[in-house]
Amino acid sequence: MADADGLRQAAERKGLSFGTAVNITSFRTDPLYRRAVQRECGIVVPENEMKWEYVEPKPGQVTHLGGDEIRDAARADGQRLRGTTLVWHRGMPDWVLAKITRASGERLMRDWIGRIAGRYRGQIESWDTVNEIVDLTGGRSDGLRVTPWLAALGPGYVDLAFHTLREVDPKAAGLWNEDDVCLGADWMEARRTAVLRLLETFLARGVPIRRFGLQSHLNSLVPLDETALRRFLARLAGLGLAVEITELDIDDRAFPADVAARDRAVADLARRYLDVVLDEPAVLNVLTWDIVDMNTWLNESDRRRPDGLPQRSLPLDGAYRRKPLWSAIRDAFAGAPDHGAARARARARAA
Ligand code: XIL
């Protein structure tokens, strides 16, 4: 059960929520995992089980088992629920990719959002409605990523996704989730500029975008620029958007192999990041991309450390012990201003 000493409570004391992406295998097989998620989290999101490739790997072969299990547990444990992801260029079954055409694209998207958001209607606080839609290397002047959806429907696919969610589940906040906008490299600054320009255009034409999500895959190879980050968050808030940290973790490949030194470096980077983020009243939720080191997606092929050691990117170690990163997150919440009023405003707007 929730623990007075957990990250959930540390966040709630400031009107914020802390949570995690849930790994379905650990969730099903390891009672300690389930207990850690209960103890630390006020909000959860299935890591993969609401993505199209999991829900419908073959035409008509539909399963909602994983999503439903996580939804049921969240309900039993009094946690909020996020959904990911309605429209993405990844996480899609090949048979759908092959079917997206100018003629069929709109019907396909409406049908998918109708089914998945309809199933969880009234139960999701915010949906990752579009994910990773900016790619400045794709050659378009607006910076939109060239995807099958864009090719079939043009930039209006973004409008369609948010409007459809609004029709299907008006209570769920439509969120634009984006990667590589949180650190201090020039190429990320260019991405922030493109995001803000696109947001202005979408909002001006009435696209119901309520929130912006910074994935926040922090990286030991790229420095943090607190000033640029602060400015970006303030611009998002100035557009009337609420903000979520949706996938926080730290790729530690450039930090020392030594565990104590590495854990310290990971914790320091996260603390500096969260201190800026939590200063912005528009921020509502902070989720890590899983909660225990052994489950991090950063050990997948191309993201591994060159020395072959497993990444130490998340708040708990393999024995579910709290790491320095856990303490850094707790201390960041403890030092944060109260977000209660901003949360109440965001709720009122979504209603
Ligand atoms: C990742 C999952 O963690 C992996 O298990 C899966 O194989 C691929 O997707 N950005 C996102 C997430 O928006 O949905 C991704 O999740 C990680 C990067």
Side-chain angles (χ1 to χ4, degrees), residues 47-48 51 88 90 131-132 215 247 289 297 300:
E47 181 177 358
N48 290 310
K51 294 171 183 170
W88 194 21
R90 292 174 50 212
N131 192 25
E132 301 178 346
Q215 289 188 3
E247 306 183 13
W289 203 241
W297 71 303
E300 285 171 17

Side-chain angles (χ1 to χ4, degrees), residues 316-334:
L316 306 178
D317 73 9
Y320 296 99
R321 280 182 306 240
R322 292 165 168 174
K323 295 168 51 204
L325 175 57
W326 182 92
S327 309
I329 298 174
R330 183 206 46 201
D331 293 349
F333 283 131

Side-chain angles (χ1 to χ4, degrees), residues 251-307:
D251 181 334
D252 70 16
R253 76 183 72 179
F255 291 152
D258 175 72
V259 165
R262 184 141 50 109
D263 282 358
R264 242 185 347 264
V266 163
D268 286 351
L269 178 56
R271 178 70 200 270
R272 285 171 52 216
Y273 184 68
L274 288 175
D275 278 351
V276 175
V277 161
L278 298 183
D279 246 3
E280 171 50 61
V283 172
L284 303 180
N285 300 324
V286 175
L287 288 92
T288 49
W289 203 241
D290 214 305
I291 192 146
V292 55
D293 278 341
M294 65 210 173
N295 284 347
T296 181
W297 71 303
L298 296 170
N299 289 327
E300 285 171 17
S301 56
D302 55 331
R303 294 188 165 77
R304 277 199 211 120
R305 281 176 65 93
D307 60 13

Side-chain angles (χ1 to χ4, degrees), residues 195-227:
V195 162
L196 290 167
R197 256 196 229 123
L198 282 164
L199 271 171
E200 278 165 8
T201 322
F202 291 138
L203 293 170
R205 62 177 191 242
V207 182
I209 305 175
R210 297 277 171 265
R211 300 187 182 186
F212 187 85
L214 288 82
Q215 289 188 3
S216 309
H217 297 294
L218 305 185
N219 194 321
S220 50
L221 293 165
V222 189
L224 193 60
D225 178 342
E226 277 100 336
T227 310

